Amino acid sequence: MKMGDIKKFIPIGWLGYSGGYVLYDVSSHNIFLENMDIDGEVEDKPIANSLKELINNMNVNPNIREKEENKCCL
């Protein structure tokens, strides 16, 4: 699959560590990653079946609030 057709895929994020897009497939509502081996191509298998599933499966640091509260300001 090629991501060039804007009606097929919408970029919804960027992976800073790998420099690739997170792509939303408009027709199936699945979430894909850009293929890191071939520019402009999409991985064969989705990473999530919906945006809701992607968000629910994200790993967020549970201590992030704790760090903000303990931050010292001069």
Side-chain angles (χ1 to χ4, degrees):
M1 289 186 273
K2 292 187 185 247
M3 69 178 201
D5 185 1
I6 194 65
K7 294 176 184 171
K8 177 89 173 133
F9 293 99
I10 298 174
I12 59 170
W14 177 260
L15 301 173
Y17 66 90
S18 64
Y21 285 107
V22 177
L23 301 162
Y24 174 77
D25 183 350
V26 176
S27 60
S28 71
H29 306 288
N30 291 334
I31 310 295
F32 291 85
L33 292 178
E34 181 181 7
N35 187 325
M36 294 295 103
D37 297 327
I38 307 168
D39 279 342
E41 297 285 325
V42 178
E43 292 288 343
D44 294 334
K45 295 182 181 178
I47 59 169
N49 294 318
S50 66
L51 190 54
K52 180 179 178 180
E53 181 181 306
L54 177 70
I55 292 168
N56 286 336
N57 290 332
M58 292 176 87
N59 292 323
V60 178
N61 183 351
N63 298 321
I64 197 158
R65 290 267 184 226
E66 189 175 301
K67 289 178 185 175
E68 288 176 3
E69 291 170 2
N70 294 330
K71 191 186 263 185
C72 178
C73 302
L74 298 176

